[in-house]
Amino acid sequence: MSRPALVVVGSLNMDFVCQVPALPPPGATVLGSDFRMIPGGKGANQACAAGRLGDTGLSTRMIGCVGYDLFADHLKASLSGAGVDISAIRATKSAATGIAMIWVEPGGQNSIVVAPGANAALGPRDVPSWRSTVTGAQWVLFQLETPLPAVQAGLKLALESGCRTMLDPAPAQPLSADLLRSVSILTPNESEACLLLGRNGGRVRLADAPELTAALRAMGAQAVTLKLGDAGCFYDDGTLKHHQPAFPVKAVDATAAGDTFNAAFAVALTEGKPVPEALRFANAAAAISVTRPGAQASIPTRAETNRFLSAV
Ligand code: RIB
């Protein structure tokens, strides 16, 4: 296969998804419905989205770790079906493939518990072997569902190899300035941005976005795209500061919307689109994904996204 334009380093999970009338509070039992197993994992979702959204000629490869089990076979088949090169996904005998338990309430909000399993076996010792995979790639995408030392070493390797790096700081955890200095574009949502800055979470107003992104850039990230849910997103690289409104849609399930956004943004940047156009494309792909249930099951193709954009 030719050199991949995009590489995704991250998690692969089988998602156990259940619809609930309301997210259960601690100690409560609620009756759910519509149980399904759907391929997921923040890393695999991004790879799947890049595979479906990339125009012909743009190749995507995934780096990750699974167990020797049926879930691994399903997850790899889902990625292959999206056109992703899975040759850099390794298997370990020491753990089962990762899983996630997901409850989704009407309106699309969810709660997720991840048991990382084999994803946790990805360590800094793996990273030198990634050099040949990332060399020549334009973008390498990371999230935080794999161990932080591997993410940190992977980010450094990608930069040294001449790639640009995108980090989705999810699930949120504090990050060092040293790690953030290896990030070309950081893509937190509101609560992740607040956690990284050591501030109390809560609703971030669009008017607060420039101050938040400037503070995150001061911590080391070269550029920041703050995801603001139905308020869209705000991009800041120190020169360009740009708000891109979201497309209003009827949400049924927000799972993987952020993953779809990141992959679509990277795909559009790889194709040379200017940042505002790339953000519009990413918002469109993410908007389609929230109108459908599940993680990889909800991610649109390039043709669907183009049709959506020409209809709005
Ligand atoms: O971002 C959504 C993903 O988070 C799900 O697919 C689940 O696997 C968890 O990793």
Side-chain angles (χ1 to χ4, degrees), residues 94-170:
S94 66
T97 299
I99 63 106
M101 316 285 290
I102 304 183
W103 322 133
V104 184
E105 66 176 7
Q109 278 313 312
N110 60 27
S111 281
I112 304 182
V113 175
V114 174
N119 296 306
L122 218 56
R125 277 191 306 181
D126 285 294
V127 174
S129 70
W130 300 347
R131 189 177 292 279
S132 62
T133 297
V134 303
T135 301
Q138 293 204 36
W139 283 93
V140 185
L141 277 51
F142 296 84
Q143 330 73 39
L144 297 178
E145 273 184 352
T146 46
L148 199 55
V151 172
Q152 176 145 14
L155 283 163
K156 286 211 155 90
L157 174 87
L159 272 196
E160 277 165 28
S161 307
C163 314
R164 284 174 291 171
T165 60
M166 192 179 286
L167 173 65
D168 196 6

Side-chain angles (χ1 to χ4, degrees), residues 15 26 42 73 82 89 112 117 130 155 196 224 278 281 283 303 310:
D15 291 351
K42 293 187 194 306
D73 298 342
I89 298 175
I112 304 182
W130 300 347
L155 283 163
L196 287 172
V224 176
F281 180 74
N283 278 351
S310 48

Side-chain angles (χ1 to χ4, degrees), residues 47-63:
C48 175
R52 288 192 191 146
L53 291 164
D55 236 340
T56 3
L58 189 150
S59 57
T60 300
R61 188 173 291 176
M62 167 133 202
I63 294 173

